Amino acid sequence: MQSNLIQSKVMTVEEVFTGRQYRLDTYQREFTWGRSDVRRLIDDLRKKFSANWRLEHDRTRVARYQPYFLGPYVYHEEDRTTYLVDGQQRITTLHLMLIYLRELLRAQDLEGEAGRLTSLIKSRKYGRSVHTLDIPDRSVFLEEVFTEKGFSLPDDAPGALRKLWEASCVFQEEFPEELRGDALPYFVDWLLEGVCLVGIQAGTSEQGWEIYESMNDRGVRLGPIDLLKSFLLSKIDKAPDGADKVWRRTVSELAAVDVNAPSDFLKTFLIARFARIPTSDGSSSTDVEKISGPFHTWVKENASALGLIRSSDHRALIDELEIYANHYRTLAAAARAYVPDLASVFFNAYNGMSIQTAPVLAAVHPRDSLATCKAKAKLVADYLDLVLVRRLVNDLPCSPADLDQEAVRLVGLLRGGLDVSRLREVLAEEIARLPYDFDAMKTYGLRSNNSRQVRYLLARLTGFVESSCSRSDEMGAYLDGRRPFEIEHIWANRFERYQPETKKRPVFDSYRNRLGALLLLKKSDNASYQDLPYEEKVDYYQRQNHLAGSLHVKHRERNPDFNKFVRTRKLDGLLRPFPKFTMSAIEERQKLYQKLCEIVWDPAAAFGTPAIPTQRVDRSRTRTRARYDVAITDLVAKGMLPQGVQLVGSRRGVRFGAEVLDDGRIRVDSGETFGSLSAAGEFVLQSQSCAGWNFWRARLGDHEVKLVDVRREALEQGLV
């Protein structure tokens, strides 16, 4: 009898993965989490950890960081195997995270730390190595996913494997820079020992099924949606007035879009219409943080401020919710499937903006028609897209969290049901104030963690040229999550082939990965070219899109639409062929791509923005990406480092150089500039991870000193 009792235990992530071999029970669904679910887990962990961590902390201090609870999971054991009953999505994502973090630790030469994770990722059973999450269909994927070779997703991959691959892409493309750098070993310590779950152990498989049913089908706790409904309806004098019917219809129609749409809409609506945005920095709004959690509690606590006083006020809010929900469904559909008239809504969703609809709903008046709502949505989405792209090429913060912060900031500017003309004026004024443009594109290119963004830029430029030359609009295919199109390097990864011109491997890597040396091609064609020399590939390029075909000397022959486009846009000197693709050719193509960016994201076209000079951005105080308390320019300002200090770093006998610019950016020897020490280190090392403050040393006269030591000394002296 005792052995059949249900037991529970609080377990750290390390305990969850130690000495276990997990499998799925027969009734368990496969892995279904999408990008947004994985993003949310990563961002929740980032925010909790970052609130505690400082570079100056000793590793033992991590034991005192605030813990984080990830919820319960249910399992039962049989024949030394643990069968997951409920919680597979989180356990699977955590397992994938451990594999990714192990590769980051290896990139920093922290093999001992990586070995600790290996023991959690795998175990030895009966003479063979098996993954802790032992699901045969995943074994090859898990072995290859984060390696240099990478995992190639088969075209006929089953849905569960495709979802798992998409989750891995979130780690590779969007994992926060601040966690990949100096904070990495601290974060791993905290994840293993400070993040916990409650393991609920069923005595038998049958008990597991009963628990699974009760947690998923019966006795489910009321959520914020139900509690908000209950609160609003309870305040209406006459319940039979139809308010309940309106609520149910609204929620039902939203749920038909997506299972999370009702909750996402209510949060977005409350932020758009009521959240206090006290400063120009949306991240400082505590209302937004509270609404992102149990939003029903926030409504009850702020009922008076929301104007919820009389019965009629509560009924009016329900009617207003229905009106805005109709607009939200239109925007949600545009975010999921590409439609040209709301293209930027789709683009922003692709780039991870989760609350881009908040500033749209803030600008919408309840009496606005659907056409007016779409016009406003296009303006707001175009603005956010422009901000993203300019940030990208300037190496400024552009993670989904940073972009959502910008969306929240807009809410405070756009409320009040602005008409379309005034909305355009307000956004034009905001664009005119942007302190960065496309001038920084001279060396921009592919790096260890920005392939998704580079693919986006190439897709937009390729699509623009194609549609301008009367070809079909293929943007949906270019950005398809299944990746029928891939990034093509014009230079094959053969240093010896280009060594006479580039001389050194870092210079070769720099030029090979610049945007001007990249194309977007069909996956099948890209694979077939492999490492062919340019002179052989260029004939194949002519059969592809115009950006690729333009490299061929005969592309302008009998091609009137293309020639007209070149003349109209005054691109004769840039959009031209190259018989040989040299370093100077890459520089010319880089200028072409910069010019195309300036055309595609021309604010005058959408906003009528006057062409006024932008102000110089003070990147020295832009900390959003790294979230450090001390910037390197602080050390210069206090005399701890000289102006224009030269930096050196080394790894396995190879030395790298860089310098600190006046605005705080780091420029490496090959010319690329970066907003953080870690990003600069990742680039020169061609690595996924670098502890920038520890990697770089300042050259001071005839000796070198680690920047982390200079920083520590400045803190001890109270200078920063």
Side-chain angles (χ1 to χ4, degrees), residues 437-673:
D437 51 25
F438 290 104
D439 283 348
M441 280 194 67
K442 292 179 177 61
T443 58
Y444 181 79
L446 187 65
R447 298 164 188 170
S448 62
N449 63 333
N450 71 345
S451 60
R452 186 174 179 84
Q453 292 93 331
V454 168
R455 181 170 176 249
Y456 176 65
L457 284 176
L458 290 171
R460 292 296 307 276
L461 300 184
T462 302
F464 170 71
V465 176
E466 292 295 279
S467 58
S468 297
C469 296
S470 303
R471 289 186 176 178
S472 59
D473 188 342
E474 298 289 337
M475 285 304 308
Y478 293 156
L479 297 177
D480 191 317
R482 293 167 295 184
R483 299 194 179 179
F485 286 81
E486 289 185 338
I487 297 172
E488 153 79 348
H489 284 83
I490 297 176
W491 276 9
N493 193 14
R494 291 290 191 90
F495 171 51
E496 69 280 0
R497 188 179 292 171
Y498 300 94
Q499 188 173 10
E501 183 180 14
T502 61
K503 309 301 182 186
K504 297 180 180 180
R505 179 78 199 208
V507 176
F508 166 76
D509 289 333
S510 169
Y511 273 79
R512 178 177 182 266
N513 287 303
R514 289 188 184 178
L515 195 67
L518 305 175
L519 300 168
L520 192 70
L521 301 180
K522 288 182 179 179
K523 180 179 179 180
S524 56
D525 293 332
N526 189 31
S528 67
Y529 300 157
Q530 297 184 3
D531 61 352
L532 287 175
Y534 170 77
E535 290 76 13
E536 295 182 35
K537 288 195 294 186
V538 72
D539 287 334
Y540 298 114
Y541 288 163
Q542 192 182 14
R543 308 170 194 170
Q544 303 289 337
N545 57 71
H546 281 303
L547 266 186
S550 64
L551 292 165
H552 197 281
V553 293
K554 294 185 178 181
H555 190 68
R556 297 191 68 166
E557 294 181 5
R558 294 184 295 279
N559 209 335
D561 289 330
F562 178 72
N563 290 329
K564 180 181 178 181
F565 169 74
V566 173
R567 289 194 306 271
T568 302
R569 293 296 181 173
K570 300 179 180 179
L571 296 172
D572 285 279
L574 294 173
L575 194 51
R576 62 185 183 85
F578 293 94
K580 294 186 179 296
F581 205 67
T582 61
M583 292 171 66
S584 62
I586 292 174
E587 291 170 355
E588 288 299 306
R589 289 284 287 193
Q590 197 83 4
K591 293 176 184 176
L592 167 66
Y593 284 5
Q594 177 178 336
K595 179 63 176 177
L596 289 174
C597 282
E598 291 168 350
I599 296 172
V600 172
W601 287 280
D602 177 13
F607 304 98
T609 308
I612 62 174
T614 56
Q615 301 172 6
R616 185 174 180 177
V617 60
D618 181 11
R619 293 183 179 87
S620 64
R621 306 309 303 171
T622 303
R623 307 263 183 75
T624 311
R625 169 171 290 177
R627 293 178 175 88
Y628 294 141
D629 292 328
V630 179
I632 193 166
T633 44
D634 293 330
L635 304 180
V636 174
K638 296 300 181 180
M640 301 295 293
L641 293 172
Q643 289 280 350
V645 60
Q646 299 295 304
L647 306 180
V648 293
S650 60
R651 178 71 61 86
R652 300 184 182 93
V654 180
R655 286 172 64 85
F656 308 94
E659 65 175 317
V660 179
L661 303 179
D662 292 344
D663 59 11
R665 289 177 298 160
I666 314 301
R667 182 167 62 199
V668 300
D669 284 347
S670 54
E672 287 79 1
T673 58

Side-chain angles (χ1 to χ4, degrees), residues 232-233 235-236 238-244 246 249 308 310-322:
L232 294 176
L233 293 180
K235 300 296 182 180
I236 298 175
K238 297 179 180 180
D241 70 348
D244 179 59
V246 172
R249 181 173 64 241
L308 298 176
R310 298 177 297 275
S311 169
S312 58
D313 300 328
H314 295 78
R315 175 57 206 261
L317 180 60
I318 290 177
D319 290 336
E320 192 172 323
L321 283 169
E322 182 179 33

